[in-house]
Amino acid sequence: MTASSYPAPGIEAVLESSPDALLVVTEDGTILRVNAATERMFGYTRDELLGQDHRMLLAEGFRSGLQRLFFALRKDADGGPLTTDADADAGPAADAPTSPMSPGFPPVEAYGLRRDGTEFQGEVACSLLAQDSDDAPATMAVAVRDTSHRLAADAGLREAMSLLSATLESTADGILVVDGDGRIAGVNNQFISMWGIPRELLATQDDEAVMGFVLDQLVDPAQFVEKVTALYAAPSAESNDILDFRDGRTFERYSRPQKVADKVVGRVWSFRDVTPARIAQDRIAKAMADLAEQAAQLKALAFQDPLTGLANRQLFSDRLASALLGPRGAAVDVLLLDLDDFKEVNDILGHHAGDQMLIEVGRRLRECVRSNDVVARLGGDEFVVLLVGSPDAEAVAGKIVESLRVPLWIDGTMLRPSLSLGLASLHEDAVDASELLRRADVAMYAAKTAGKNRYLRFRPEMMKSLVARTELEAGLRVAVDAGQIAVHYQPIVSSRLGVVVKVEALARWERDGETVPPQQFIPTAERSGLIVEIGTEVLLKGCTELKPWLAEDPFRSLAVNVSGVQLQHGDFAELVLAVTGSCGVDPRQLVLEVTESVFFDDDCHVIQQLIALRKAGVRVALDDFGTGYSSLGRLQDLPVDTLKIDQSFISMINTGEENLPILSCMISMAHGLGLTVTAEGVETPAQAEYLMNLDCDLLQGFLFSGPEAEPALASAIARSAGAFAALRGDRVAGLR
Ligand code: C2E
Ligand code: CA
Ligand code: CA
């Protein structure tokens, strides 16, 4: 009998009677058709199966398998990876080979799931079904053969697989298993969601595409690839490292070989998202770094002068102490310096200007020394420099004094600060830090006394003058109490009348038969506050002794020097008026001489005192005008009646032929403001002539008379008038 002699059954009948379960499944996994064997094998009726998801027929752990096969088939059919729509349109699937079992896709082993919940082992084969038209949805034919008879012995394996699969799915780590050929053998759901890999992409089994997707997310993909390559070169190696994602996440990557009976068959990669831990760790690290930085800042602040940024006293002391502990014979020099007349800058130009000056001085000091030398501000306008191992400390001291020669500009005002510097060095005689500083201080004081703007090295004799200073103060106190403060009077001549119209009272200290000059004891008296008593004494004696002379002519007056300390002290105005009242002197015959700096005291009390006194008729003279930081511009705002031009300007007149615009300017400006002008320290006829030509109102100086005690005053006054007449005679003679 030949095949043609049998009646040909319909293909439908063949399918229905096939011993294998046959299904047609859509791309999304929906069951379109089943045969009778399917009903038998799985225990469902046809109606129960049609339209359902085919995965209901697969045991757990095998459910993604069919879909992946489907994708693989389609890819195969299209002759390339199924990636873009453009690719899909390029060639119709129908043109592709449609052999149901292409050699690249052998049947796969899987477990089926029956309606009653029991599982069985089977073999699944798939093929793409030819489509009626190009745009008909793709479908796949699936054949399932029950192979449980073959594998009853493999129940243990099956159990292990299901256990493994359940374990893999329950872990928080993402797991990827790669086989010996480097192909993806399996992943768990966690892996897919951690990496955000689209299921379709995974289903394509296009490992390269999956790898590209993975690499795209990494900060350093090259390092990832390098690691993978290295591990493939050493199949049994384990590794553990960190992956940084571009989106900020961090994974821990662990890799170990997959072995079967000691043979490496693949590699397991496990990934753990450690981002929260890393963020917490980063936070802690940052907090620690911040703390360390703050601590460093605090430490720096504790040793830094906030204004100048220089070292402070504390740091200087520490450095000096350790320098003194250094090797014997190493040079250690302390340069202590103080700005001259800094208080005036602060008083006249304000604290801001004072601060600017301190900052600039600090900057210049730093420029004078090496970077490892310490420059510190001790407070106020006092600075100190510590030189360790310097070959020539005096050269540095000289350089520092010199560095202030260049004027500095602050708020549009040019200033020429100067400083007095004391230098003390460590020599053979071991001295401690405080002694070294004390010596530098003594030398600095000596530099000030010697005329400021200089440096002096400490010499033991200087200690004597320090002792003398202390003795002076003690002696002055005794002298004040014992009434040893006398008053001398210097005549002041009117250049219009040619007679003495005013005398200036000047304090004298008669000490053991010697006269101590005011320059020596007035600063001491101001520092100790004794000036209050001395000033009152001078005023009282002056008013008492000069009352008769003043009474002779109401246009005569008595000038008394008043220091700022007195003005700040109590009710000065009341005291002055009480003295004039008790002595019977008209307040209009009293002139108080003050220096410009008293007006710049923050305390407006001083100005109020002067205003009150002027109301009572007392006049105010601005003494020593032109020295320090005085300015013509501010004159108009001050409550004064007279300007006393300092002797330093008068001494500029030598021959009388010179052109001194500053003098003429001062005098005419003062006149313009309604002030009278007195010239101090007139010593030569040429000076007197010059000043009279400039219309200076009053002349005072040795040319007429020096200060004299009251008994000698009458003759001093007569002598002064005589000197003036002689001057006039010269003038008249000159005119003739
Ligand atoms: P001063 O107020 O500028 O006084 C003028 C000073 O110049 C006086 O010095 C006077 O003797 C001196 N003198 C006057 N004519 C000439 C001259 O032609 N050539 C030179 N080279 N000098 C001349 P004295 O008496 O030594 O006083 C010095 C300073 O002591 C005074 O300067 C004043 O600031 C202060 N002083 C003196 N007595 C008192 C006082 O009772 N109270 C206060 N607070 N200070 C006083
Ligand atoms: Ca004076
Ligand atoms: Ca003066």
Side-chain angles (χ1 to χ4, degrees), residues 630-646:
S630 51
S631 118
L632 278 171
R634 271 188 300 270
L635 260 186
Q636 57 184 343
D637 304 322
L638 305 182
V640 298
D641 308 275
T642 298
L643 198 69
K644 293 193 81 175
I645 299 176
D646 189 70

Side-chain angles (χ1 to χ4, degrees), residues 24-27 32 70 74 127-131 136-141:
V24 176
V25 174
T26 65
E27 194 169 2
L32 281 188
F70 202 160
R74 285 201 63 190
S127 65
L128 272 187
L129 275 176
Q131 285 161 273
T139 50
M140 179 172 66

Side-chain angles (χ1 to χ4, degrees), residues 311-331:
N312 64 7
R313 184 184 287 273
Q314 177 68 47
L315 183 57
F316 167 77
S317 305
D318 289 357
R319 290 291 169 83
L320 178 58
S322 50
L324 293 180
L325 288 176
R328 245 186 104 83

Side-chain angles (χ1 to χ4, degrees), residues 547-588:
K547 186 190 175 221
W549 181 73
L550 291 171
E552 281 172 29
D553 183 343
F555 291 103
R556 288 176 181 170
S557 57
L558 166 68
V560 174
N561 292 288
V562 174
S563 101
V565 183
Q566 288 171 269
L567 282 163
Q568 284 163 354
H569 208 266
D571 200 342
F572 178 72
E574 210 169 273
L575 174 91
V576 171
L577 296 176
V579 171
T580 51
S582 70
C583 295
V585 169
D586 184 346
R588 284 172 296 186

Side-chain angles (χ1 to χ4, degrees), residues 31 172 244 249 310 324 339 365 413 564 573 620 632 637 711:
I31 302 170
D244 287 316
R249 287 181 302 157
L310 296 174
L324 293 180
L339 296 180
L365 287 178
T413 307
V620 177
L632 278 171
D637 304 322

Side-chain angles (χ1 to χ4, degrees), residues 504-506 559-562 593-595 623-624 644 680 700:
E504 179 176 0
L506 293 156
V560 174
N561 292 288
V562 174
E593 297 194 357
V594 296
T595 54
D623 210 353
D624 303 339
K644 293 193 81 175
E680 290 188 301
Q700 175 182 8

